[in-house]
Amino acid sequence: MTDDGVRVVLIGGTSNTGKSTLGRLLADRLGFAHRSTDTLARHPGRPWPVPGWEVPPHVAEHYRTLSVEELIASVREHYARLWPRIEQLVAEGGDAGLVLEGSALWPPEVARFGGAGVSAHWLRADEAVLRTRIRTAGRYPEASQDGRYLMDKFLARSVRYQELLLAELAALGPEPLDAGDGRCVEELADAVLATVTGAG
């Protein structure tokens, strides 16, 4: 627990804004545990292969056939199902301290935690930054035409998800942190810690 009583730090944002990297660094600096909402249940996974893992047919079909708005509706339904477990993690996080990050965190739901030892922070990144990160992760130049289409659909979903999230934040007040390529994760961590601990 920090000096001002914060026992849970939440980091939200769309895919590829660097939530996991920031979350791990914050957990290390604070001596808290680190969890990602992705570990609760993935939906349905990123549509590009990584060493030792190929994109399952159902995942490719999911991105290939659904519109961006349908993809958003699907993932929001999935995250809604996770919310009871997220609330449980936050409630239990005070034992040793917790940094919980993930796209499943949604501003109106997070706002309900109030000031009960919870400090929430949000990441945003320009579309160009998200595009570069997604295409780098998926090795876009080497991908097939279909593989590129799936990556571009994932990008479109991520951008639209961010638009909706930022609209919710604007109504509630919190300003997101810009996680673009011009700002390193250490700077983002310092900005969060300045709020969490009251120190620069």
Side-chain angles (χ1 to χ4, degrees):
M1 183 178 294
T2 65
D3 292 341
D4 61 351
V6 173
R7 57 184 178 77
V8 178
V9 178
L10 304 177
I11 305 293
T14 197
S15 297
N16 291 90
T17 50
K19 299 181 299 299
S20 295
T21 302
L22 176 61
R24 285 190 291 267
L25 180 57
L26 286 171
D28 182 62
R29 290 193 183 182
L30 289 166
F32 285 5
H34 168 254
R35 290 289 301 269
S36 172
T37 62
D38 283 351
T39 65
L40 302 179
R42 184 172 284 278
H43 177 274
R46 295 177 177 177
W48 56 81
V50 295
W53 183 84
E54 292 295 325
V55 179
H58 75 276
V59 172
E61 191 70 6
H62 178 79
Y63 288 99
R64 189 181 294 117
T65 60
L66 296 183
S67 70
V68 172
E69 293 303 323
E70 288 171 331
L71 290 172
I72 292 291
S74 177
V75 78
R76 289 289 298 126
E77 289 170 5
H78 170 71
Y79 290 157
R81 290 192 294 272
L82 295 183
W83 194 251
R85 178 60 178 141
I86 291 170
E87 289 182 312
Q88 182 182 7
L89 287 173
V90 171
E92 295 171 351
D95 295 339
L98 173 68
V99 176
L100 178 64
E101 48 82 8
S103 297
L105 300 175
W106 193 245
E109 281 83 358
V110 167
R112 295 176 193 154
F113 292 126
V118 178
S119 183
H121 306 267
W122 307 90
L123 301 183
R124 68 162 302 279
D126 291 340
E127 181 174 349
V129 172
L130 297 175
R131 179 183 298 108
T132 296
R133 291 177 179 176
I134 288 169
R135 289 185 174 184
T136 298
R139 301 188 302 277
Y140 193 87
E142 306 163 28
S144 65
Q145 182 175 355
D146 185 58
R148 293 182 181 187
Y149 177 80
L150 296 178
M151 274 182 262
D152 289 342
K153 183 68 79 70
F154 185 89
L155 169 64
R157 191 203 77 171
S158 299
V159 169
R160 179 58 178 152
Y161 191 88
Q162 177 168 262
E163 290 173 353
L164 295 170
L165 186 147
L166 294 179
E168 295 284 1
L169 279 182
L172 293 169
E175 287 289 329
L177 294 169
D178 191 337
D181 286 343
R183 198 172 192 189
C184 68
V185 66
E186 287 80 9
E187 290 177 289
L188 292 171
D190 288 343
V192 172
L193 289 172
T195 300
V196 170
T197 66

